[in-house]
Amino acid sequence: VYKEIYARPLPIPPDKVPKHTWTNSTTGQIINYYEVDIKPFQQQVYSNLGKANLVGYDGISPGPTFRMERGQEAVVRFINHGTLNSSVHLHGSYSRAPFDGWAEDTTAPGQYKDYYYPNNQRGRTLWYHDHAVHHTAENAYFGQAGFYILHDPAEDRFGLPAGKYDVPLTISSKQYKSNGDLFSPASELTSLWGDVIHMNGQPWPYFKVEPRKYRFRLLDSAISRSFQLYFEKDTKTGTKLPFKVIASDAGLLSGPVTATLLEISMAERYEIIFDFSAYANTNVTMRNNRDVQADEDYNSTDKVMKFIVGGTITDTTNNGEVPAVFDPLVLPPPKTNVDRTFKFGRNNGEWRVNGVSFSDVNNRILAKPKRGSVELWELQNDSGGWSHPVHIHLVDFQVVSRKDGKRPVLPYEAAGLKDVVLLGTNEKVRVLARYAPWDGVYMFHCHNLIHEDHDMMAAFNVSVLPD
Ligand code: C2O
Ligand code: CU
């Protein structure tokens, strides 16, 4: 049993520094070049047990945080010093297909691959993580995940908390063996929920904050666990404290959505503004509901982290009112007829999309959208009590409807564009997207990484030729 709940500080991953920066003297175009070493490291998790063996980007987990400016391109060399093949996906980027982390485009130990990222989307919180075929769950769980924040200068006028008041928070959930090492998901076929909740790689940390507004960029990087997060005062009044959801997968919402509960599933990102000004010199805790989807709960899976609120503000910049609206969303033109239906189901103990497995190389391309076309896809959960967060590469989509389950489209899902959407039990979710800007073969899959590895993943081919 882990005894040091809220006893260790929240780690903040260091910012990644480019190795070279080039400026094209004719166009002024800036390209930053980075190198990342995928390498083993150890972490003392249980103070009375041995260390856990991990493999992370630059030997840390989460990996270093990339901070990119919109319009500046990047090339990142990922050098594999690990023992398993790697493939790196920048989740949330409209990368060209050869740089999108295609599962079979793996880099063997001892080799490297250079990835090119255009960085010309709206500002957003992305993340980079492993995507190697049949090893994604292991690689991500043992440490290969990190933040990649794309900053759009056009958003500065909103005066949102910045600098040390803009904090990436990635939540995950793991399980350890009695020797202190990690229990591996490699032989799991359904899910590994984990009994130890981590924030930024640290089990149940605390974080010292000032009594002012903070921007938190939340990412669920767990391999199998969804969360319903809320804040409460340490005095346990039972009251869920309000916050504002300001952004989701594809950046700022059309305007902030006030909430007291944040549902976040694997690979989803939500950014919130939490104002600690009313809680000076007290504590606020972030909690998780029990019985989220069909996830298994343990003793402390309802606890997440503690905020120790100080009495003084050292910097009052960007601590004003959050604007009532941001920029209007650029939505694809509405459509009522469903173009394609995909069933996320289970056959003979294996996970499938429309009955097809990613290993079925001759049949796994399930769609051929014409480049530039807008399509309405219906994603159906056809697997009984399981839930599946479905991620479509390349595009940002609008969550149009959710039917036949218990939940409607959540207000903060509706107010932004997404690249992952949770298909809860029996749910049918419609998503609308423009399949652009590039041609190429891209993956879509369940982001329960154990389901993805076994083989709930398929592909679509964006092409100038019609279907
Ligand atoms: Cu976050 Cu295909 O992955
Ligand atoms: Cu799934």
Side-chain angles (χ1 to χ4, degrees), residues 69 263 266 312 325 337 340 355 424:
E69 286 297 310
E263 298 195 33
M266 292 81 90
T312 42
V325 291
N337 294 332
R340 305 175 200 271

Side-chain angles (χ1 to χ4, degrees), residues 89 91 127 129 131 267 391 393 443 445 447 449 452 457:
H89 173 51
H91 184 134
W127 64 302
H129 66 80
H131 218 301
H391 171 41
H393 284 227
M443 301 172 282
H445 58 89
H447 223 290
L449 298 181
E452 174 185 329
M457 179 153 74

Side-chain angles (χ1 to χ4, degrees), residues 190-191 266 344 351 383 386-390 445-452 456:
T190 58
S191 282
M266 292 81 90
F344 289 77
W351 304 99
S383 65
W386 299 89
S387 58
H388 309 286
V390 175
H445 58 89
C446 175
H447 223 290
N448 178 326
L449 298 181
I450 293 175
H451 298 182
E452 174 185 329
M456 194 178 254

Side-chain angles (χ1 to χ4, degrees), residues 148-164:
Y148 187 107
I149 294 170
L150 179 57
H151 169 249
D152 185 341
E155 288 175 6
D156 293 348
R157 70 186 199 280
F158 297 125
L160 298 168
K164 65 177 173 175

Side-chain angles (χ1 to χ4, degrees), residues 71 112 132 212 264 292 326 368:
Y112 66 80
R212 54 156 288 158
I264 184 166
V292 178
F326 302 123
K368 202 171 170 190

Side-chain angles (χ1 to χ4, degrees), residues 24 29 61 105 119 127 147 175 179 182 214 294 375 427 462:
N24 181 316
Q29 179 65 47
S61 183
D105 178 18
N119 293 335
W127 64 302
F147 279 102
Q175 188 176 324
N179 65 2
L182 267 177
Y214 279 75
E375 295 200 356
E427 288 175 0
V462 180

